[in-house]
Amino acid sequence: MKHCKTLLFIFICQLSAHLYGSDWNNFIINYPKSLFGKGSQTWQIAAYNDNWVYFANKSGVLQFDGNTWNIFPLHNRSDTRSVLPSNQGQRIYVGGINEFGYLEPGEGGRLVYTCMSDSVPIPDRYIGNVWGVHENDHILYFQGDERVLKLLNGKYTIIPSEWKIDCSGMVNGVLYIGTDRGVFVLVGNTFFPLQGAESLESKRIRGIIAHNEGVLIVTAYDGLYYHDGRTTTPFVTGAEDFMRENEVFCAAVSGDQLAVGTVRKGLIVINKETLQTKYFNENNGLQNNTVLSLAFDEWNNLWAGLDSGIDYVCLNSPFTNLYSYPYSYGTGYTALLAGDYLYLGTNRGLYYTPYPVQLSDKQPDIRPVSNSSGQVWNLCRVGEDIFCLHDRGVFLIEGTSMRKVADVSGAWTCQQVMGSPNKMFVGVYNGMYLMEKAGKEWKVAAKIEGLFDSCRFFEQESDQILWIYHADQTLRLELTPALDKVRSMRLYGVNDGFPTDHDVYVSKIDGKIFFVTPQGVYQHNRTTDQMEPCQELNNLLNGVNPYSRLVQHGNHLISLSHREVCIGNLRTYKAGGNTTIVPIELESVELVPGAEALIPLSDSLMVIPNDNGFALLKLPSQSHHRREYKYSMRILRAYLSYPKDSLIYTDNFLKIKPEPKISFHQNAIRFEYGISTFTRGEQVSYQYRLNQGDWSDYTAIRTKEYSNLHEGDYTFEVKAIFLDGTTSADSFVFHILPPWYRSNMAFLFYFLLLATALWGVYRWDDLRLKRKKQQAVVEKDKELHELEKEFEEESARKEQQIVQLEKEKLEYDLRHKSQEMANLMINFVRKSEALTEIKSDLSKVIYNLKGDRAGETKQMLLLVNNKIDANIQSDEVLNRIEKEFDLVHNNFMKHLGEKYPDLSLNDRMMCAYLKMNLSTKEIAPLLNISVRGVETIRYRLRKKFGLERDANLTEFLNAF
């Protein structure tokens, strides 16, 4: 009876899921092993927070932050089996094969691996595969194949098990181990069998996880069991057959969601409350059906470690998809819900599927409509009829088949003519057709004349006025009343108010025509015949954004762009109604350029055709509003870019940031930044600044480089601006050191040098003053000396003057003496001459004397004559003259006589006369010889003195 109630509950839950569950397959992001190395198997996954995920991979520990993969191999290069991010130890513990250790940030934030098993004694370190690392109350447990190694206060303890350990789990501080002989718990240092779990002894245990007040025990072939602490009962999910057939290998839990990975058929996600089940395998995007590890992140999305590659299941995304490669039905272009079928138009043809779409572990039930092969452009409802606008013409859909109703080539879209339920406009490649319904049949009434352009996008202002956009042209047509001819045509472009001629799409909202442009919504002003921005709708939506489509569904206004879906309420906006913005974060939701479409199914569900098929958007509730998502803006790496790239900082899970001091010759730095999001695809804008400067313009570039920075302290800031206007920021502080000649040591040196220079100047000035004083003394002494010298010179000059005067006086006296001697000698000569003449006259008188007294007279005259001879021949005068001459001329005559004793009296007298500077004419009478005789004596003297021919006799005698 109890079992029947359980089955009935499961049936009701699953029926409710089928009836009311509207989600399709959650998007799966594939990370092939080529992204992170050659490691195939990923044995365990653990997230540190909302930014970091770690994987125990065959190649080592993988780290992923939403932007970059990094790998850290173990020392022995063995497979990494387990990983545990520790908030207590702020480390990433890892286990391999006979090796375990931890990762923590080192210099510059780079993770450094430290091997712990090297410190364990050799016999105890060989514990085989370390399949689990657990932490509780600062105690670490490393689970090996047959033993657990316990680390407490730096001491290792081996706790053996009698059986092979297949898995382990730490729940509420208790370590559980699953063995091939049941489940055991660790109490102290001893394993004891789990009470009331005897029924599991023959089961192969794959996982032990928390559930309510107890634990869920996951088996390989026998489903799930719940142990409440005393008893063990089956935990029925309705997927027991699936588990039994495909062999469960791993499990993970987060809130109400339980994920179970299998060996053969991917994974399932079970809601533990409603038992609603989702299947993920190769049919809907999983890379590989062998799932070795599972882990939920803080976003409640699911990581799956596969036998080859890693996948990310976006369980929390508002987007789900209908199918994926390689089981694709083509590129999605349009969709329409009619009755029990959802029709899908692709580039391959028209398909249908029952709605709500039934999903299982197999592919969804999508079937082609016969004879629909080819390009489907649009699906339109006119009255009760559904039309397929095809490359081959216009088709009427009738259930699961369709038939051609208009033999026209290339039909884009169609619309019922306003006020005429039996007429419709059909836009085609080369114009437009008017079709009418007669009875139950639709036929072509006319091709509108005067219109030859493609009419892919058009709207009706009235039954006779159409707005058309195609090929960068926006046209306003006025038709004739018969609707078969163009009466007038007006082209609108940049000159008419549009911001651009490109990408302008016409839409009709509440009966009014609007235009979505790359710069927001515009409308036509009939008064000015100009295009103007529609401020009301732009405010209702997400501002002036480049929308691709504008759709009205009931009271909701929905805009679509390649970045977001924005939903506003047309009725409550003025009353302050909310606007919902859903970013298109997933790369897989890639809209087809030029063919963007959005098909509402209900107020909360809408289909978005895209390049990979069809996405279903389920509007998130207020609790899942975008503004509650706190994507972390992070500076990922910092490089010194000169003279070559040098990594100085890398982001790490502890957010440890150094404040590097960078040398001046490396004053160029490059930053790489981004948001941490594992869905890859969200488009954000960035702004940055340096040292509280002005924020840069918005940019999508995720690098910024600065060069030629001056020395100083810098703070680089960068922020991400999301589509809804929220921001997230990060910063990095660094220091540029001054060049050596502007460093502190240099300034100290300059200070010391300046102080030395000032001291030197002071010393120099002091010495200068001393020298000046000394110089003043010297100058004074010199002045005194000069005065003394001048006095001495004056005295000498005066003495010299005196000497000169005395000399002049002496010379004067000498000349006077010489003149006297000359006069004396002249007088003497004249006297002698006179006496001679008297003697001659006496002789004549004596000779002529006659008479008596002649004798006596003669006698008296002879006596007089003798006296005259005596006076003439006397040498006394000559001797006196020589003495006087020697006295005047420094014994000239004496020395001349001594040196030249053979000189005669006339020679000596001749020398005396020449010494006295007498001329030849003056000398001749003195010597009583002729002038000729004087020259003869001169010649004789030259020979006696041995003078040369050209020697001057007078100069010789003066120098003698």
Side-chain angles (χ1 to χ4, degrees):
M1 185 67 179
K2 182 179 179 181
H3 183 64
C4 292
K5 290 182 179 180
T6 302
L7 292 178
L8 180 61
F9 173 72
I10 294 173
F11 174 76
I12 294 173
C13 290
Q14 292 183 344
L15 180 61
S16 175
H18 287 312
L19 291 177
Y20 301 104
S22 56
D23 289 353
W24 292 350
N25 295 306
N26 293 87
F27 277 93
I28 300 175
I29 299 176
N30 302 133
Y31 295 97
K33 64 180 181 180
S34 59
L35 288 176
F36 47 78
K38 297 180 180 180
S40 298
Q41 295 90 0
T42 299
W43 298 105
Q44 200 171 94
I45 305 171
Y48 183 81
N49 52 32
D50 58 347
N51 296 329
W52 304 89
V53 184
Y54 293 89
F55 305 85
N57 184 261
K58 186 177 181 65
S59 296
V61 181
L62 303 179
Q63 174 187 265
F64 186 52
D65 61 358
N67 296 280
T68 306
W69 290 89
N70 290 300
I71 185 168
F72 304 93
L74 302 185
H75 283 179
N76 64 7
R77 301 290 173 177
S78 65
D79 296 7
T80 305
R81 302 298 196 188
S82 55
V83 59
L84 173 69
S86 170
N87 289 318
Q88 294 180 3
Q90 294 189 330
R91 294 172 174 176
I92 308 299
Y93 290 102
V94 297
I97 302 176
N98 290 321
E99 181 179 338
F100 52 89
Y102 61 86
L103 293 162
E104 65 180 357
E107 182 179 359
R110 287 178 286 247
L111 291 192
V112 178
Y113 172 70
T114 301
C115 182
M116 300 172 64
S117 54
D118 289 346
S119 61
V120 180
I122 291 180
D124 296 334
R125 74 175 61 166
Y126 298 117
I127 61 175
N129 295 277
V130 182
W131 290 108
V133 181
H134 308 283
E135 182 181 34
N136 180 58
D137 197 20
H138 301 288
I139 303 174
L140 284 174
Y141 301 90
F142 300 94
Q143 176 240 310
D145 289 327
E146 295 180 346
R147 62 185 71 180
V148 171
L149 190 62
K150 178 181 177 181
L151 174 60
L152 174 61
N153 297 326
K155 181 180 179 181
Y156 290 95
T157 303
I158 290 292
I159 304 173
S161 169
E162 297 181 9
W163 320 107
K164 182 181 181 304
I165 303 175
D166 290 326
C167 63
S168 59
M170 180 71 69
V171 180
N172 297 324
V174 178
L175 179 63
Y176 295 79
I177 62 170
T179 73
D180 55 0
R181 288 297 183 270
V183 179
F184 292 79
V185 294
L186 180 64
V187 179
N189 291 333
T190 305
F191 287 112
F192 292 93
L194 181 63
Q195 180 182 1
E198 293 79 6
S199 61
L200 301 177
E201 293 182 0
S202 59
K203 309 289 191 294
R204 185 163 190 181
I205 311 302
R206 290 298 196 188
I208 303 170
I209 54 182
H211 176 66
N212 294 339
E213 300 299 324
V215 294
L216 277 181
I217 300 170
V218 183
T219 67
Y221 303 102
D222 301 285
L224 309 177
Y225 291 84
Y226 173 66
H227 182 79
D228 60 5
R230 296 180 180 179
T231 60
T232 301
T233 57
F235 186 83
V236 180
T237 64
E240 283 70 28
D241 291 341
F242 175 85
M243 298 180 193
R244 186 178 300 107
E245 292 172 2
N246 297 295
E247 186 185 347
V248 173
F249 194 86
C250 57
V253 66
S254 175
D256 292 336
Q257 296 190 96
L258 169 67
V260 177
T262 70
V263 175
R264 300 185 182 90
K265 205 59 180 292
L267 65 96
I268 56 173
V269 176
I270 305 169
N271 187 303
K272 293 188 294 182
E273 298 298 324
T274 66
L275 299 184
Q276 181 180 353
T277 303
K278 293 183 177 181
Y279 296 84
F280 300 94
N281 49 54
E282 294 176 1
N283 290 331
N284 57 3
L286 216 61
Q287 293 181 86
N288 189 282
N289 275 344
T290 300
V291 181
L292 302 178
S293 56
L294 292 169
F296 287 93
D297 63 10
E298 292 197 5
W299 304 101
N300 284 326
N301 294 321
L302 181 64
W303 287 98
L306 310 178
D307 186 62
S308 178
I310 297 171
D311 283 347
Y312 187 61
V313 184
C314 302
L315 297 175
N316 202 30
S317 172
F319 293 95
T320 52
N321 70 337
L322 189 56
Y323 56 79
S324 60
Y325 181 84
Y327 305 102
S328 174
Y329 297 91
T331 299
Y333 280 84
T334 185
L336 188 144
L337 178 61
D340 295 333
Y341 292 117
L342 176 65
Y343 294 96
L344 307 169
T346 74
N347 65 317
R348 300 181 186 179
L350 181 64
Y351 296 84
Y352 70 95
T353 182
Y355 189 85
V357 179
Q358 305 299 317
L359 298 175
S360 66
D361 60 331
K362 299 178 175 58
Q363 297 181 37
D365 184 17
I366 300 175
R367 302 176 186 180
V369 174
S370 59
N371 301 320
S372 67
S373 178
Q375 177 68 58
V376 175
W377 292 117
N378 214 333
L379 296 171
C380 300
R381 188 193 302 271
V382 177
E384 298 297 325
D385 296 325
I386 301 173
F387 291 94
C388 173
L389 287 306
H390 201 283
D391 177 66
R392 293 189 283 112
V394 181
F395 293 83
L396 180 64
I397 300 176
E398 297 173 336
T400 58
S401 63
M402 69 180 190
R403 61 184 176 87
K404 196 171 192 178
V405 295
D407 191 12
V408 295
S409 177
W412 290 116
T413 187
C414 66
Q415 286 185 19
Q416 177 184 317
V417 176
M418 293 178 63
S420 302
N422 294 326
K423 294 181 181 180
M424 68 177 179
F425 291 118
V426 179
V428 296
Y429 293 172
N430 59 348
M432 184 176 291
Y433 285 88
L434 176 65
M435 293 186 67
E436 293 182 343
K437 185 176 183 181
K440 294 184 179 181
E441 297 295 328
W442 287 90
K443 294 182 180 180
V444 175
K447 185 177 189 300
I448 298 176
E449 296 181 15
L451 181 58
F452 305 101
D453 293 329
S454 175
C455 296
R456 184 170 187 177
F457 305 104
F458 70 89
E459 288 292 346
Q460 302 174 67
E461 184 177 325
S462 68
D463 59 343
Q464 292 182 233
I465 298 177
L466 303 180
W467 289 89
I468 301 172
Y469 169 77
H470 181 71
D472 301 335
Q473 293 184 9
T474 302
L475 301 173
R476 182 179 185 272
L477 303 180
E478 185 175 353
L479 305 180
T480 61
L483 308 179
D484 58 353
K485 291 181 182 180
V486 175
R487 173 181 289 178
S488 64
M489 181 183 298
R490 167 83 156 87
L491 175 65
Y492 291 83
V494 174
N495 295 331
D496 302 290
F498 275 132
T500 178
D501 291 331
H502 309 284
D503 302 322
V504 178
Y505 300 99
V506 58
S507 300
K508 193 171 184 179
I509 307 298
D510 275 349
K512 298 178 181 179
I513 301 298
F514 295 93
F515 304 88
V516 289
T517 74
Q519 296 184 24
V521 181
Y522 277 68
Q523 62 183 350
H524 179 238
N525 187 324
R526 294 183 181 181
T527 304
T528 61
D529 196 24
Q530 291 288 305
M531 297 298 174
E532 299 175 348
C534 181
Q535 196 67 37
E536 182 179 1
L537 292 191
N538 284 327
N539 291 338
L540 175 61
L541 301 173
N542 193 18
V544 181
N545 273 321
Y547 303 119
S548 300
R549 294 292 182 272
L550 198 60
V551 178
Q552 180 179 3
H553 181 74
N555 293 331
H556 292 93
L557 178 65
I558 308 168
S559 66
L560 173 69
S561 73
H562 287 258
R563 300 188 305 171
E564 68 181 23
V565 177
C566 183
I567 303 98
N569 194 307
L570 290 168
R571 304 296 173 251
T572 62
Y573 165 66
K574 292 183 179 180
N578 293 326
T579 298
T580 302
I581 300 171
V582 182
I584 300 177
E585 304 173 342
L586 301 163
E587 289 183 345
S588 298
V589 185
E590 183 178 351
L591 304 185
V592 181
E596 299 90 343
L598 186 146
I599 301 96
L601 303 182
S602 67
D603 287 344
S604 61
L605 295 175
M606 53 196 71
V607 176
I608 302 177
N610 59 82
D611 196 56
N612 295 304
F614 297 88
L616 180 67
L617 171 60
K618 182 179 181 181
L619 295 186
S621 63
Q622 289 298 322
S623 61
H624 292 84
H625 197 274
R626 170 62 183 86
R627 294 181 185 272
E628 295 184 1
Y629 285 73
K630 297 180 181 179
Y631 289 105
S632 177
M633 173 67 213
R634 298 176 7 250
I635 296 173
L636 304 175
R637 282 167 292 277
Y639 294 89
L640 297 181
S641 55
Y642 180 85
K644 62 179 182 179
D645 279 357
S646 175
L647 181 66
I648 60 171
Y649 166 73
T650 184
D651 193 20
N652 55 85
F653 65 93
L654 294 182
K655 298 182 179 180
I656 295 176
K657 287 184 182 177
E659 294 187 5
K661 296 182 178 180
I662 302 168
S663 61
F664 188 77
H665 76 279
Q666 293 179 302
N667 60 349
I669 188 169
R670 184 177 76 252
F671 297 99
E672 296 179 0
Y673 49 83
I675 60 171
S676 178
T677 170
F678 301 119
T679 53
R680 297 186 184 179
E682 179 164 10
Q683 299 182 34
V684 298
S685 298
Y686 299 96
Q687 286 184 296
Y688 51 80
R689 66 179 180 179
L690 192 66
N691 277 6
Q692 298 294 317
D694 294 334
W695 287 104
S696 68
D697 294 333
Y698 294 104
T699 179
I701 299 174
R702 300 197 300 170
T703 61
K704 176 57 183 175
E705 184 171 3
Y706 295 95
S707 59
N708 296 323
L709 292 173
H710 198 265
E711 68 265 23
D713 301 330
Y714 291 90
T715 300
F716 173 73
E717 296 175 272
V718 60
K719 64 179 178 180
I721 301 93
F722 299 99
L723 296 175
D724 61 358
T726 58
T727 62
S728 178
D730 196 9
S731 62
F732 186 82
V733 176
F734 63 100
H735 312 275
I736 300 293
L737 298 176
W740 64 267
Y741 51 84
R742 288 203 296 262
S743 64
N744 292 333
M745 291 298 296
F747 284 120
L748 178 61
F749 172 76
Y750 299 150
F751 174 77
L752 294 176
L753 186 63
L754 178 62
T756 304
L758 292 175
W759 181 82
V761 169
Y762 169 77
R763 289 289 301 160
W764 173 82
D765 188 63
D766 185 58
L767 292 175
R768 183 181 64 82
L769 293 176
K770 290 181 178 180
R771 285 197 302 268
K772 193 172 182 180
K773 291 179 181 179
Q774 292 177 354
Q775 188 174 3
V777 173
V778 171
E779 291 291 336
K780 194 68 175 177
D781 292 342
K782 184 177 180 181
E783 184 178 353
L784 294 174
H785 179 70
E786 290 291 334
L787 292 174
E788 184 179 354
K789 185 177 180 181
E790 288 179 3
F791 176 76
E792 290 177 354
E793 289 178 352
E794 184 67 20
S795 298
R797 185 177 61 80
K798 290 180 178 180
E799 289 179 358
Q800 188 176 3
Q801 288 178 351
I802 294 172
V803 171
Q804 184 66 25
L805 291 174
E806 291 179 351
K807 182 179 179 182
E808 289 177 355
K809 181 179 179 183
L810 290 174
E811 289 179 352
Y812 175 78
D813 292 342
L814 180 60
R815 286 196 300 271
H816 180 69
K817 293 284 187 181
S818 298
Q819 189 65 36
E820 285 182 349
M821 285 189 297
N823 293 334
L824 180 62
M825 292 181 72
I826 291 171
N827 291 330
F828 176 72
V829 171
R830 288 179 177 176
K831 183 184 80 168
S832 296
E833 288 179 350
L835 289 176
T836 301
E837 288 180 358
I838 294 172
K839 181 180 178 182
S840 177
D841 292 338
L842 283 178
S843 295
K844 290 179 179 181
V845 172
I846 292 174
Y847 182 70
N848 293 320
L849 184 63
K850 293 177 179 182
D852 291 340
R853 290 194 62 108
E856 185 176 348
T857 302
K858 287 183 178 183
Q859 188 64 34
M860 292 176 65
L861 289 170
L862 287 171
L863 180 60
V864 172
N865 188 43
N866 287 335
K867 288 182 179 179
I868 291 169
D869 288 338
N871 286 323
I872 294 174
Q873 296 177 357
S874 179
D875 291 331
E876 291 181 4
V877 176
L878 294 173
N879 290 333
R880 189 168 62 83
I881 289 173
E882 285 187 3
K883 288 181 181 179
E884 290 293 334
F885 192 87
D886 281 343
L887 181 62
V888 174
H889 292 286
N890 296 322
N891 296 321
F892 174 77
M893 297 302 288
K894 180 181 179 181
H895 293 153
L896 185 64
E898 291 176 355
K899 191 168 183 179
Y900 301 103
D902 56 342
L903 296 177
S904 65
L905 178 61
N906 282 343
D907 292 338
R908 293 200 304 276
M909 294 307 294
M910 182 70 178
C911 291
Y913 296 149
L914 292 174
K915 183 77 172 175
M916 294 168 63
N917 291 322
L918 298 179
S919 64
T920 301
K921 290 182 178 182
E922 290 176 331
I923 295 173
L926 292 176
L927 293 179
N928 198 21
I929 58 176
S930 63
V931 174
R932 179 76 176 170
V934 174
E935 293 296 334
T936 302
I937 293 176
R938 289 171 67 95
Y939 176 74
R940 186 170 58 244
L941 285 174
R942 292 175 67 86
K943 291 185 66 177
K944 287 182 180 182
F945 290 155
L947 298 177
E948 297 294 333
R949 188 176 184 85
D950 56 350
N952 190 296
L953 179 60
T954 302
E955 292 179 358
F956 173 77
L957 292 174
N958 287 331
F960 188 77

